[in-house]
Amino acid sequence: MSIFESPKTPFISHRGFTPMAPENSLPSFYYAGLLGQWAIETDVHVTRDGQILCCHNETVDKYCNGEGTISEMTCEQIRGFTIVTGNRVKCFTEEERKIPLFSEYLSICRRFGSIPFIELKTDDAERVIHALQKNGFSEDEVIMSATVLSRLEESRRCAPNLFLHLIFAEENELPTLSSLGNAGLSWRISGPFACDEGKIDLAHERGLKVCLRAADDKSSLDRMKKLGLDYFPTNQLHDLT
């Protein structure tokens, strides 16, 4: 069955369910799963010693009680820090506020039946796909996203059946993205009320699914549904079905 054949509203909790916990933290992923979200989004980086961690920025500066670039530090060094910014941050233990291992994130997705929606912040797509396989995820259970088209091309070479998502696509990238098959995109548009149906039709005509950021209130969600969008990144809403 396709990941899009689901009775759930296809909400993607952006960096976890951040109204309840700091972004890209284990509690934010847990709350997203607990609320029944269709997908849980995270960003992945690779440490100097080859471990995959979940964090939006390439550094931990200002997010944690430490500094440094993830790719230049070991996993042990980074896991020695704790997250110090974000919603309700003081509600969680130091252990809960460590930068999550990719495997921990995947375990939460599996526990609650949420789709891993992974933004590649590394060129090493092969390592990330191998980790997915090692943790028991098949290609048709996952969405791989990136702002860089070449990272999706590498993902397709490693995994023929992955659903690929290009963030902030440009029109000149559509032919290549379409040729990869089983793919979708988000446009670089400020929101659903700034988008017309022509932009959605342009992608659909090439067999691509489409979303916009972000479905953070009912009026935005209603507009997205009217436009015929296929899935809904959100920082606020959760599934009520």
Side-chain angles (χ1 to χ4, degrees), residues 34-80:
L34 194 65
L35 290 167
Q37 297 293 69
W38 177 73
I40 304 173
E41 191 264 358
T42 194
D43 312 86
V44 295
H45 295 267
V46 177
T47 65
R48 190 179 74 201
D49 54 343
Q51 300 301 306
I52 306 171
L53 297 179
C54 300
C55 187
H56 181 264
N57 294 341
E58 63 181 19
T59 75
V60 298
D61 301 7
K62 299 181 180 178
Y63 184 56
C64 291
N65 59 349
E67 296 181 348
T69 300
I70 293 173
S71 62
E72 297 174 358
M73 293 187 291
T74 65
C75 182
E76 184 179 5
Q77 285 176 298
I78 297 166
R79 295 273 289 175

Side-chain angles (χ1 to χ4, degrees), residues 11-115:
F11 284 130
I12 304 156
S13 268
H14 187 223
R15 308 178 195 171
F17 195 72
T18 56
M20 295 297 292
E23 66 176 44
N24 276 320
S25 67
L26 287 176
S28 75
F29 300 148
Y30 184 86
Y31 278 117
L34 194 65
L35 290 167
Q37 297 293 69
W38 177 73
I40 304 173
E41 191 264 358
T42 194
D43 312 86
V44 295
H45 295 267
V46 177
T47 65
R48 190 179 74 201
D49 54 343
Q51 300 301 306
I52 306 171
L53 297 179
C54 300
C55 187
H56 181 264
N57 294 341
E58 63 181 19
T59 75
V60 298
D61 301 7
K62 299 181 180 178
Y63 184 56
C64 291
N65 59 349
E67 296 181 348
T69 300
I70 293 173
S71 62
E72 297 174 358
M73 293 187 291
T74 65
C75 182
E76 184 179 5
Q77 285 176 298
I78 297 166
R79 295 273 289 175
F81 303 141
T82 55
I83 299 166
V84 294
T85 61
N87 287 331
R88 302 176 72 245
V89 66
K90 293 182 180 180
C91 294
F92 306 105
T93 66
E94 287 192 4
E95 189 66 26
E96 290 171 318
R97 290 187 287 119
K98 292 185 183 298
I99 297 287
L101 300 169
F102 186 47
S103 58
E104 292 176 319
Y105 156 79
L106 291 175
S107 177
I108 290 173
C109 290
R110 176 64 78 200
R111 175 177 177 178
F112 292 103
S114 296
I115 295 164

